[in-house]
Amino acid sequence: MTEEKSLAVSEVTVPNFEIREKHLGILVTNAREVRDAIKAKMREFSLDAYAGDAKQAAEDKANLNNLAKRLNEERINLEREFMKPFNEFKDIVSESVKLIETASAQLGTIVKEKERLEKEAKRAEIQKIWDSQNFSLVSLERVFNQKWLNKGTKLAAVEKEVLEIISKIQGDLGALDSFGEDTENLKGFYLSTLNLQMALSRGAELKANRERLAARKAEEERRRAEEEARLAQEKTERERRRAETEEPQNAGETALSNEAAKERAREIRENLAKTADETLAAPELPKQETEATSEKKYLFTVTAEPEILVRVVESARSIGMSNVPSFTFEATETQIEQLKRQFVADEFVYEKTRLLTLEVKR
């Protein structure tokens, strides 16, 4: 007598599955004889051997169909009878499996609830670790990693990662201190995204926009100053022409006006000379702002009224242009040819190169 084994589930013990009686493969019929007889008979119904006419063929066709139907019905009836005990066994086992699965699902609910409570407790411990760092720039939820709740992840490892995250955030914020007036704005943007590269790109964009706006403002101020100088020059010219056409009794007043104009011109020339001296003495701008690339350079002369020249010098100085020692003369073609001959007599060598004249007017 063999010892029976059982399946134990918690405190419930169920019998071990066993097969108490089984008879397989016992089915004796004359199916092979029937098949062999049909094979021999069917040769008479081939296209090249059939001797009957169309009417006889129709009758033989109906008889063959009836024979096939009877044989198939016998097979189906026998199959049902033969499979009945197995199907009964199959249904019982399937029902047993469903009962086990239902119980397992109910136990799974209990297991999941326990896991949920364990994760909540661990999350509370992680929150304590975060709070202990007194770091309130971002919340724990912003950086929380779900893997921290896994049973295999120890709290010591979680604390290490938390410290690394806080250190990285502080380092990223420090990297934004070089953006001047945009620093606070960029830090706020970084805290919203926690993406340093995006914050740096935004900083570069803000700086470029600010520089464009400053250049536009400077250009507008320059044009406004030029317009004011032009109007002043026109006013001076009108006063000069009016003074020239006034009657002799106003000669004394005209002389005073001319003296005032001369004094003003003298002041402008002095300011122009001072500006030019300051330009020559100005310190060299940083290399990245003044160093030319491979662009071709030109020597050019600017002609204008004294008060305009002052503005021209200031504008040139603001963009890093340098003064080259030179004199600008006004002469006729005859005088220029005479000067060239004098150069030859003095053994000078001259060449007309890179010359450009800009005449600035109001």
Side-chain angles (χ1 to χ4, degrees):
M1 182 174 180
T2 60
E3 181 181 355
E4 290 188 1
K5 296 182 179 180
S6 61
L7 299 175
V9 179
S10 184
E11 298 300 326
V12 180
T13 302
V14 298
N16 191 27
F17 176 77
E18 61 182 30
I19 299 174
R20 295 178 177 175
E21 184 179 357
K22 179 175 63 175
H23 302 284
L24 300 176
I26 301 176
L27 181 64
V28 180
T29 68
N30 67 338
R32 285 188 176 84
E33 296 175 8
V34 173
R35 182 196 62 190
D36 294 341
I38 291 174
K39 279 185 178 180
K41 188 67 175 175
M42 291 305 104
R43 296 191 185 96
E44 299 177 7
F45 299 104
S46 62
L47 292 177
D48 54 352
Y50 188 70
D53 57 11
K55 181 179 179 181
Q56 185 62 41
E59 293 178 358
D60 291 339
K61 179 177 181 296
N63 292 333
L64 290 175
N65 290 339
N66 290 331
L67 177 61
K69 182 179 179 182
R70 281 201 319 273
L71 286 173
N72 198 45
E73 288 176 349
E74 289 291 338
R75 191 266 306 169
I76 292 174
N77 292 333
L78 185 58
E79 182 178 352
R80 287 174 179 169
E81 182 181 0
F82 200 81
M83 292 298 296
K84 182 178 180 180
F86 179 80
N87 288 334
E88 182 180 357
F89 158 75
K90 180 180 177 182
D91 291 341
I92 293 173
V93 171
S94 296
E95 182 181 0
S96 300
V97 170
K98 288 181 179 179
L99 291 172
I100 293 172
E101 289 175 345
T102 300
S104 176
Q106 293 173 348
L107 295 177
T109 301
I110 298 174
V111 172
K112 288 181 179 179
E113 179 63 15
K114 181 175 182 295
E115 291 177 349
R116 185 186 67 80
L117 294 175
E118 289 176 347
K119 287 184 177 181
E120 285 186 358
K122 190 172 185 180
R123 188 181 185 92
E125 292 298 322
I126 296 173
Q127 184 68 53
K128 291 180 181 179
I129 294 174
W130 180 266
D131 294 341
S132 68
Q133 302 304 314
N134 295 321
F135 185 76
S136 59
L137 291 179
V138 297
S139 63
L140 174 62
E141 286 70 20
R142 295 284 309 283
V143 297
F144 196 87
N145 191 334
Q146 290 298 323
K147 74 173 185 178
W148 293 344
L149 299 178
N150 295 341
K151 290 184 178 181
T153 305
K154 305 299 181 183
L155 285 175
V158 174
E159 183 175 9
K160 181 181 177 182
E161 288 190 36
V162 165
L163 294 176
E164 291 174 351
I165 290 172
I166 292 175
S167 177
K168 180 180 183 302
I169 293 174
Q170 292 172 335
D172 290 347
L173 290 172
L176 300 174
D177 285 334
S178 61
F179 281 89
E181 61 187 89
D182 293 328
T183 294
E184 293 305 316
N185 185 3
L186 292 177
K187 286 184 177 181
F189 177 79
Y190 169 79
L191 292 177
S192 297
T193 63
L194 295 182
N195 189 316
L196 178 60
Q197 188 57 47
M198 289 178 61
L200 292 174
S201 298
R202 185 178 181 88
E205 181 182 359
L206 291 175
K207 181 180 179 181
N209 290 340
R210 189 171 57 255
E211 290 176 349
R212 283 194 292 269
L213 290 173
R216 178 180 178 181
K217 181 179 179 181
E219 177 65 16
E220 291 175 350
E221 291 178 352
R222 183 188 64 79
R223 291 179 179 177
R224 184 166 54 252
E226 289 180 353
E227 179 64 15
E228 291 174 355
R230 183 185 67 79
L231 294 175
Q233 177 65 19
E234 290 179 353
K235 180 179 179 181
T236 301
E237 184 64 23
R238 287 195 301 270
E239 291 176 352
R240 184 186 63 79
R241 288 195 298 266
R242 185 171 63 249
E244 291 177 352
T245 57
E246 283 182 350
E247 296 179 358
Q249 58 266 28
N250 295 329
E253 296 179 2
T254 301
L256 292 175
S257 177
N258 289 338
E259 286 300 324
K262 290 179 180 180
E263 179 63 21
R264 176 58 180 161
R266 183 183 64 79
E267 291 177 358
I268 292 175
R269 284 194 295 273
E270 290 178 355
N271 290 335
L272 180 60
K274 182 180 179 181
T275 302
D277 292 340
E278 292 175 352
T279 301
L280 290 173
E284 185 179 358
L285 293 175
K287 186 175 181 180
Q288 64 270 21
E289 297 182 8
T290 59
E291 181 178 317
T293 57
S294 58
E295 292 182 316
K296 185 177 180 180
K297 292 185 176 180
Y298 292 90
L299 296 176
F300 64 93
T301 300
V302 176
T303 63
E305 294 297 328
E307 60 271 19
I308 297 179
L309 285 176
V310 173
R311 297 293 299 170
V312 171
V313 172
E314 291 175 352
S315 298
R317 178 182 175 185
S318 68
I319 60 176
M321 294 175 63
S322 59
N323 292 87
V324 177
S326 64
F327 285 101
T328 300
F329 299 97
E330 186 176 52
T332 64
E333 292 185 5
T334 301
Q335 291 173 327
I336 293 174
E337 292 300 324
Q338 292 174 351
L339 182 59
K340 288 181 179 180
R341 289 194 292 270
Q342 186 62 43
F343 284 166
V344 174
D346 293 336
E347 298 182 352
F348 291 156
V349 176
Y350 62 87
E351 180 181 1
K352 182 177 181 181
T353 176
R354 300 187 301 167
L355 296 180
L356 178 66
T357 300
L358 303 181
E359 184 175 0
V360 182
K361 297 180 179 180
R362 287 290 185 182

